[in-house]
Amino acid sequence: DNNNTGELDSAALVFGSAGHSGISSGKLGANAHDLRFWTSGFTAMNLSPIGNLTVGSGSTSTWRLWVRSGDAAFDGRIQASGSVSIGGALDNKYRLRVYDGSARIGGDFHATGYTAVGGEVDSTYRFRVWDGNSRFGGNLYATGNVAFGGSVDDNYRLRVHSGNSHFGGNVQVNGALDATTVEAFNLIGTHAQVSSLSINGNGSVRSNGTSNLRIGFDQATVNAALAPHGGVTITANITQFLGD
């Protein structure tokens, strides 16, 4: 008489004399006119009055589909017109939100917006890594400028703000080379082969000792190979010494 509590009682559709399985409908309270599916004397599935489906024991929720515990497997496709959350509450800032644990994408990952690893999206960068190391197993192709340790400098294709830079192979410079210290040699057997090094403009030579004396020299190109215990003479045009 519309006073059903929704329990598996005489007002429910009960299968078998033991009464452990059946379908009931509550007519009182907030979930009035729902459908509850029972197995082994417990609620296994609940369909709310507005069509929200809950799998597992407990009352219905505000979700269209809610799996309260256990795993869910879909052999076909999943299409969501709104946001999707894994491991936590929905976050309207993201179409897909993974709270904890690892996420793996076996195929292509296509982002039309910005991507951030380890922090919030930074609209200054298409790809932003906040902390930790980044490793690229293949080629890294940059159509713009690259900077390490600071901001990009439009004057340089590659800008290292501080710290050391190590190149295991050859370095080819088509433009000007400006450096405090340049090491350009390869050890081949017992020989030290000095590569061709050209300094355009004026440079300076400084003593390795405690002296602060410096001398200037004009442009010079050096190609030399030193044999064991051998030597080579390099002639440079020394400019007039200026200063105290």
Side-chain angles (χ1 to χ4, degrees):
D1 196 19
N2 290 333
N3 292 320
N4 307 34
T5 62
E7 300 299 320
L8 196 63
D9 53 19
S10 60
L13 176 62
V14 181
F15 300 98
S17 59
H20 296 305
S21 301
I23 304 173
S24 65
S25 177
K27 300 301 180 182
L28 304 173
N31 292 321
H33 312 299
D34 64 352
L35 283 178
R36 306 177 194 181
F37 297 82
W38 299 73
T39 57
S40 299
F42 298 95
T43 306
M45 189 167 59
N46 197 321
L47 185 64
S48 75
I50 60 175
N52 294 338
L53 180 62
T54 301
V55 180
S57 61
S59 60
T60 58
S61 70
T62 58
W63 312 108
R64 182 61 70 184
L65 173 63
W66 187 19
V67 180
R68 295 184 63 96
S69 61
D71 299 327
F74 299 87
D75 292 333
R77 297 177 179 178
I78 299 177
Q79 179 177 348
S81 58
S83 301
V84 177
S85 173
I86 300 175
L90 277 180
D91 191 334
N92 293 328
K93 293 171 56 179
Y94 306 98
R95 285 291 191 182
L96 175 63
R97 176 75 155 86
V98 180
Y99 278 84
D100 295 299
S102 302
R104 179 173 180 178
I105 300 175
D108 297 331
F109 177 69
H110 179 70
T112 57
Y114 300 94
T115 302
V117 179
E120 295 291 331
V121 169
D122 190 336
S123 59
T124 307
Y125 307 97
R126 283 291 189 182
F127 182 65
R128 176 75 156 88
V129 179
W130 286 91
D131 294 299
N133 300 324
S134 300
R135 179 172 180 177
F136 298 87
N139 297 326
L140 176 62
Y141 178 70
T143 57
N145 299 326
V146 179
F148 293 97
S151 300
V152 169
D153 191 333
D154 293 334
N155 296 319
Y156 305 97
R157 281 295 189 186
L158 176 63
R159 176 72 158 88
V160 179
H161 284 265
S162 60
N164 299 324
S165 300
H166 187 123
F167 299 88
N170 297 325
V171 178
Q172 181 178 355
V173 179
N174 295 325
L177 177 61
D178 180 11
T180 303
T181 302
V182 178
E183 297 180 4
F185 64 88
N186 295 318
L187 292 178
I188 304 175
T190 57
H191 291 73
Q193 180 177 351
V194 180
S195 304
S196 177
L197 176 62
S198 176
I199 301 177
N200 297 321
N202 296 325
S204 66
V205 178
R206 179 176 179 176
S207 169
N208 286 330
T210 59
S211 172
N212 292 322
L213 177 64
R214 290 177 174 83
I215 59 175
F217 61 90
D218 294 332
Q219 175 176 323
T221 300
V222 178
N223 262 315
L226 298 180
H229 307 289
V232 63
T233 300
I234 303 298
T235 302
N237 296 323
I238 306 300
T239 59
Q240 181 180 358
F241 178 75
L242 300 175
D244 298 332

